[in-house]
Amino acid sequence: MNDKLFVKGSEAIAEAAVRAGCRFFAGYPITPQNELPEYMSWRLPEVGGTYVQGESEMASMNMIFGAASTGTRCMTSSSGPGLSLKAESLSCALGSKLPHVMAIMMRGGPGHGIIFPAQQDYEFAVHGPCHGGVKQFILAPSTAQEAVDLTYSSFDIADKYRTGVLILGDGFLANTIENVTFPPMKKLEDLPQHKDWKITEYDPNHHKLITSYFPPEIMEQENIKMGQMYEYWEEHETQYQNYLMDDCEILICAYGSTGRICEEVVDELRNEGLKVGLFRPITLHPFPKKVFEEIDYNRVKLIVSVEMAIPGQLVEDIKNYVARRTRVEHFGRSGGVLINPGEIKEAIHKMVEE
Amino acid sequence: MNDKLFVKGSEAIAEAAVRAGCRFFAGYPITPQNELPEYMSWRLPEVGGTYVQGESEMASMNMIFGAASTGTRCMTSSSGPGLSLKAESLSCALGSKLPHVMAIMMRGGPGHGIIFPAQQDYEFAVHGPCHGGVKQFILAPSTAQEAVDLTYSSFDIADKYRTGVLILGDGFLANTIENVTFPPMKKLEDLPQHKDWKITEYDPNHHKLITSYFPPEIMEQENIKMGQMYEYWEEHETQYQNYLMDDCEILICAYGSTGRICEEVVDELRNEGLKVGLFRPITLHPFPKKVFEEIDYNRVKLIVSVEMAIPGQLVEDIKNYVARRTRVEHFGRSGGVLINPGEIKEAIHKMVEE
Amino acid sequence: MERSLLVAGFGGQGVMLIGKNIGYTASKKDLNATFFPAYGAEMRGGTANCSVVVSDSKICSPVKQELDEIIVMNDLSYEKFAGRVKKGGALYINSSLIEAKYEGDDITTYYVPVADIARKVGNPLVANMVMLGAYVANHEDIDVESMKETIKENLHGKENLIDVNIKAFEEGINLMKGGTQ
Amino acid sequence: MERSLLVAGFGGQGVMLIGKNIGYTASKKDLNATFFPAYGAEMRGGTANCSVVVSDSKICSPVKQELDEIIVMNDLSYEKFAGRVKKGGALYINSSLIEAKYEGDDITTYYVPVADIARKVGNPLVANMVMLGAYVANHEDIDVESMKETIKENLHGKENLIDVNIKAFEEGINLMKGGTQ
Amino acid sequence: MEIVYKKSSNFIEAGHSFCPGCSHGIAHNIMMDTIDEMGLAEKAILVYPVGCAANAMTYVKPNVVHAPHGRAPAVATGIKRCAPDKFVVLYQGDGDLAAIGMAETIHMANRGEHVTTIYINNTIYGMTGGQMAPTTMMGQITTTTREGRGLHGEGQPIKMCEMISTLGEPKFVARYALDNAKHVIEARKGIKKAFQMQVEDKGYAFIELLSMCPSNWHLSPKDSVKYMEEEVIKTFPLGVYKEEV
Amino acid sequence: MEIVYKKSSNFIEAGHSFCPGCSHGIAHNIMMDTIDEMGLAEKAILVYPVGCAANAMTYVKPNVVHAPHGRAPAVATGIKRCAPDKFVVLYQGDGDLAAIGMAETIHMANRGEHVTTIYINNTIYGMTGGQMAPTTMMGQITTTTREGRGLHGEGQPIKMCEMISTLGEPKFVARYALDNAKHVIEARKGIKKAFQMQVEDKGYAFIELLSMCPSNWHLSPKDSVKYMEEEVIKTFPLGVYKEEV
Amino acid sequence: MAYVTIDAVLCKGCQLCTLQCPKELLYLSEEYNQSGYNVVKQKEGDECVACKLCAYMCPEAAITVYK
Amino acid sequence: MAYVTIDAVLCKGCQLCTLQCPKELLYLSEEYNQSGYNVVKQKEGDECVACKLCAYMCPEAAITVYK
Ligand SMILES: Cc1ncc(C[n+]2csc(CCOP(=O)(O)OP(=O)(O)O)c2C)c(N)n1
Ligand SMILES: Cc1ncc(C[n+]2csc(CCOP(=O)(O)OP(=O)(O)O)c2C)c(N)n1
Ligand code: SF4
Ligand code: SF4
Ligand code: SF4
Ligand code: SF4
Ligand code: SF4
Ligand code: SF4
Ligand SMILES: [Mg+2]
Ligand SMILES: [Mg+2]
């Protein structure tokens, strides 16, 4: 397979996963990400891996649960409704410390089935997605290339922390075809072997039990450790794009597809004389909060969260981190209405005039 | 049936629901709230209502979906895992504007099955519980009596706003037996009739369609209206308990069972000479944020969020609302470890000394 | 007035019923009462305990770290809970099963051979009612007749067991009135 | 250099393939290209459109409010999109189906009777390739041979249709080279 | 001159948006004609699934509830239990009913809710673009079985009628096909019988309709008919599987 | 003197925490004895459900994966597909397998995964305190059917063997009872056959074990035996439902 | 004496009707409708027996049968 | 010559074994174990045939059979 391709975001993610060593995939059809499982259905057998079409999102998630307990790099994908359906078993998987990767391509919502891009699952994914207070590591790529790179590294993150990594994209990312260069195929021998916990290794002196059930005192210890891990992530694992932030007076915050769109907005507004910059968080959890401690709030007079979500979701977190040190606004479209650079520019102009 | 009883929290909620006009219940067994469906299973037929034991939490939620579309007051209940499993259909139900009530009794987590009380689903319920950015109205009773009163009114809220109301309790609330006085049985004729949307009314000129699927432009309008509704709630529907807040120097924030426990802590710490008060949010969504605008931050030197959750969850919201105007700390237990007044007192003493 | 009690033992010893009866009887008297059960793990053996708080004003926490009174029905519970009685409080010990003796004189201890008495009464399963009797005997504010009513009500569906339970309860009272320590 | 194009029509007219071929051919030339499809609702009739951006530097937004060029294949698309061509841009109109005439002279318009030509070529389904030919004819930086390769590659599995598609494509070029307006 | 057949007045005038030759259209005509015939339009509540079927939600005039994917049986249970005098029809695709909704389907059938299921088995996920469904036939090529079902442990096509007729409560379980007028006429009779049963409160009926999805079969409607006759009906034998009326 | 029977060495010494007379214990003995006999302990991966069964997770020595409620079949699928040389046994209760996990159960069986299911049907939700299960018998009193199942549209007890044997892929489907030693010996033979099949990669086997839950039946173990003989076995006939080995 | 009319707006040219007609009266015409589909027509003449087979088969309910 | 031993720590007094013994050799004793259960014992004598029926039936695997 060529290393450089003109390829759909969904397929790019799939190929990157295979190259990262993913050898098991289970998923269920849902637009706008059908091409991801479809790609896996022929690509995995080609490299000796397994594709199973689950009978539901939930079953797929639980197949991942099983696959992960064998130490196999594994993945599932869906859209927001699927993330909802995976929620319960996700909680069990995270509690059982099973490394896995999940790609969720957001679409308009709530509910039954808009197929157009949106970012209305941010709050759910970042603050929600399951009971018991466990969290995933969340990466939000903005282009197919970035999706490839992040997917490639996501399996390492999952293994390193024995956690779940969520690749949170949207219908834009999933469906846009563009140029992508792929990293090399990893050798399975070079991947972590997990002998200490994976259930395919039998050791008469060490009973291996994959579970998220513990007596309260031990569960509390687990909770504490998880909390510490999240703090560690925040210290060491955040990623973001700083695009002309350093001298900006107006700061746009946007992630994923909206992030890439806003780069154009920044350029154009700069041309029009406004000192605009872009903060694009790449890790949504851990969130690069520290950035908001380093901002010169005497200079930055306005922060605008641009999202494909109404009501705004990212904006609520931004407000939290800014803690009233400057003005924070929101501009967005939602429900599957495509957002475009023109209207974002216009909205910012209007905010400035206010 | 007696109006005053010595009764379990779960059963108190069930009886209050029946008196509020609930005539359909579907649920699935899960500790610590089994007594709620068990009660409904004999009580509802007694008043001409229907109890169905769903084959799963998801099926139960969808039975509620169907029941609600007939305009019937209806309810389901579960614990955190069940809330996770209901997430997808909940999103559809909220998007379809179907009034319903759900009681969730939290237990330790994440995952498979601790049966002891915890409050580790706050962030999930308040910021998460489903895709597409829709939210429930959330009530957090602290005693069986309050659970009765809030449950009784929850059906009115659900009808008024065509939304879902979540009664978020925990194993303490569910399992504690205590004295309760019940409000009177409502007459079904006096309840809202919903003729304009319920699908049992046929009108050849007005096709009734219960769905959360809309073309993007209309969906966006729906999103905007929902957002406005949440703002309206925040303005008009918040509830909280103010216990000795007005002159306090240390403010405890705690909800639900922990809230009632902390009342005792306040009394005892006051006896020990510390000017402590308690803010107990009763509505978790809408959250009584305004309270944090009215606090005199020169007086209140320390705010402590006490929760049965590690890492803290409510505390993150409190930090957001306080916006660095004073010190905010967290004390909690989790994973099903029972929290008790003694250790809370001790923790606060320690914080004060720091 | 607020009084906190914890009753602990293994599943099957009927510790829940002791607590529930005490709470319920108080509630009938227009006192506030809370009863909180804690099972080791559902449906199966293991240990179980319950907390009861009775008060003439609002009850905040239904569980306490330190308690006015504790009833322990087996060894494990003795080990786990005996130390949590408040100074000046009381500890009721099922001396048929627990051999240990409480050391220290900051609390009052009652050694009640409930299993032996229950067997005497004719049913080893009513040891809990013997303990309840012993407890009630020490509390003048608990009305004995009202408690008997409670016992009967809580045996709804097992009416054939009412007599032996009442008998055991009375034996518990008698024992205490006779005085054991 | 950045060029944005939107192709719109009803499902079944093959508008996606026009856009995909343009994007893919550009990508082979080491240009950046993005292709974004938007279906009315999946699998069924209705309208469909796609956005293509070709650039020699990084492409930010794959969709634009105003476009350099727009191809409209049916009435509905004409009505919805014709107004979104940038000043100085170009509008390609399937004049076999669209009767309307663009009023105003701020943009260049091309009226291409693609369905008629496709029928002449022998298959009404290749009208899209006629339009592609017309478009390519106007763009010297798009290599005709490379585009033919693209067309063939994208007909993988339907090899029997290659000839008629290429023929239609060539007819589109000829038409333009002949000059229509 | 008398009209002996015309489009049901229970449809809005504008047509539906199914693909040319899609059996969903035929199934809808049967459903609506029968509702007309039996005068059930006012009593009817149609429960739609997620899938191509949902395209018809705004095409029909009786009241509609749009269920989450796979959960129509649970939704219908809630409706019928609260409104037992209404006439409740579930209309579900094979992905919806036999994959994600399997548990709900079995359990509703097992409870014997007094409703009617119309099950559109087109051996594929239509709406999402032609992935393998539980009903996809051995060797059938789909977007997730590029070389045909059966090479990678996908198992065999699930036969819902066969499975449901092992349950105690269902009273009428039958499979029809929509590939030619003769079969359609049989299907019409079966659906009428099922509807009649519900009107008479005689228990649960499950009607499977073997359907064509020319778009995702990548066949013309005419070739789809052939495929139905030669392949699909062989895998899914037509007939009444259970009748206890 | 020779020991002819003793507790399997695949258990830890301390006992399990099932209630007195609970059939979960008997089922575990069969499972572990057979694993011993066949030398499968090192290859074995046991997939436990949520339910009383899970009490034994730390009682057994082979490696264990604890599946979310009802999803053991999906979890086992993930395991077996990634580790086809391992010996994978699912152990599930009737609430877990036949209620919430119905879809996963049917679909795993239909895929014919090369694993073995041991299905503990005690006609009740044991762990949660005795609510009606899909398998609860007509008239049986539970905490959610106080006057017995069947008065409020609960339908009839679901018979998994009967349903699963209509599917194409399963190779061995059989029901046994654990009420007396004769039945237990038959169950032992059935389980051994099923295990053997997996070792020889012959496809999916489904073993149902009718089990007693004295605690939630509110009967002594002795009376539970009687109830099994007189009621449960009548509703759920014993025997081999499918055998294609 | 019988005949059918075919709603040219609704017809999608799938030709399922043409397969059914025992008299082979229906054929796909050259005419396009506004959605771009060729539409089916009935041959002239009086052979139609109003058997309704075409109508039962039409997914669009585009066929009205007169007798 | 055969006999069984019953692990008094494990036995929960369910008496499923006593029902199975063809020789009726097992009985519930008066003795309690540490968990509070009466435990089962085998009658003295040499009637035991090591048929293992009791052991197969014991949920606790408390019975060891010797021959
Ligand atoms: C929870 C959820 N999962 C997946 C989807 C995506 N989805 C839309 S329709 C559909 C199924 C379509 O197949 P089928 O039920 O066979 O109906 P058909 O379109 O073939 O008539 C799926 C999986 C969804 N909308 N919601
Ligand atoms: C998602 C979820 N729902 C519900 C529960 C509560 N729960 C625990 S065990 C159990 C089922 C017990 O019944 P069964 O499977 O028959 O096993 P048994 O205890 O009878 O052996 C249930 C519903 C849970 N843990 N998780
Ligand atoms: S995709 Fe298939 S099922 Fe869907 S409308 Fe088209 S033909 Fe019908
Ligand atoms: S509750 Fe029933 S199934 Fe659970 S351990 Fe006790 S007897 Fe066994
Ligand atoms: S009614 Fe019968 S004869 Fe007339 S056109 Fe239709 S199929 Fe042919
Ligand atoms: S069946 Fe209907 S839609 Fe199809 S060609 Fe005939 S008239 Fe047209
Ligand atoms: S081995 Fe046989 S004979 Fe001996 S005690 Fe056991 S059941 Fe009785
Ligand atoms: S079967 Fe086992 S546990 Fe039960 S009484 Fe006999 S020896 Fe004891
Ligand atoms: Mg289908
Ligand atoms: Mg069970």
Side-chain angles (χ1 to χ4, degrees), chain E residues 139-237:
Chain E
Q140 187 178 344
I141 287 169
T142 71
T143 59
T144 52
T145 56
R146 282 212 191 174
E147 298 163 43
R149 179 184 189 149
L151 296 176
H152 299 290
E154 297 92 352
Q156 302 170 30
I158 282 193
K159 301 174 186 176
M160 291 307 301
C161 284
E162 284 82 335
M163 231 166 58
I164 284 182
S165 48
T166 68
L167 298 173
E169 291 289 338
K171 297 296 184 238
F172 184 50
V173 180
R175 180 182 291 131
Y176 304 97
L178 302 182
D179 57 335
N180 62 44
K182 186 173 147 274
H183 283 156
V184 168
I185 289 169
E186 280 162 21
R188 285 183 168 259
K189 285 188 197 141
I191 286 180
K192 183 152 183 199
K193 176 182 281 184
F195 282 8
Q196 195 61 41
M197 275 178 57
Q198 185 178 161
V199 169
E200 293 168 12
D201 235 8
K202 286 196 176 143
Y204 178 62
F206 182 87
I207 305 287
E208 175 169 347
L209 302 176
L210 298 183
S211 297
M212 304 183 290
C213 172
S215 296
N216 286 304
W217 289 4
H218 301 288
L219 295 173
S220 70
K222 278 186 172 178
D223 289 341
S224 299
V225 169
K226 221 181 286 168
Y227 187 70
M228 271 277 261
E229 280 164 3
E230 290 168 10
E231 303 285 340
V232 185
I233 294 180
K234 283 198 188 118
T235 299
F236 296 103

Side-chain angles (χ1 to χ4, degrees), chain C residues 41-45, chain F residues 17 19 55 126-127:
Chain C
E42 215 162 350
M43 292 320 298
R44 289 147 285 113
Chain F
S17 60
C19 309
N55 297 338
M127 168 71 101

Side-chain angles (χ1 to χ4, degrees), chain A residues 214-233:
Chain A
F214 304 100
E217 289 72 21
I218 297 178
M219 180 57 96
E220 187 177 58
Q221 287 308 311
E222 289 289 315
N223 295 153
I224 291 169
K225 276 186 253 167
M226 293 260 179
Q228 286 163 347
M229 180 170 79
Y230 305 149
E231 277 171 24
Y232 183 89
W233 290 354

Side-chain angles (χ1 to χ4, degrees), chain D residues 21-33:
Chain D
N21 283 341
I22 294 171
Y24 183 38
T25 306
S27 85
K28 286 195 290 189
K29 237 182 103 181
D30 264 342
L31 287 168
N32 287 315

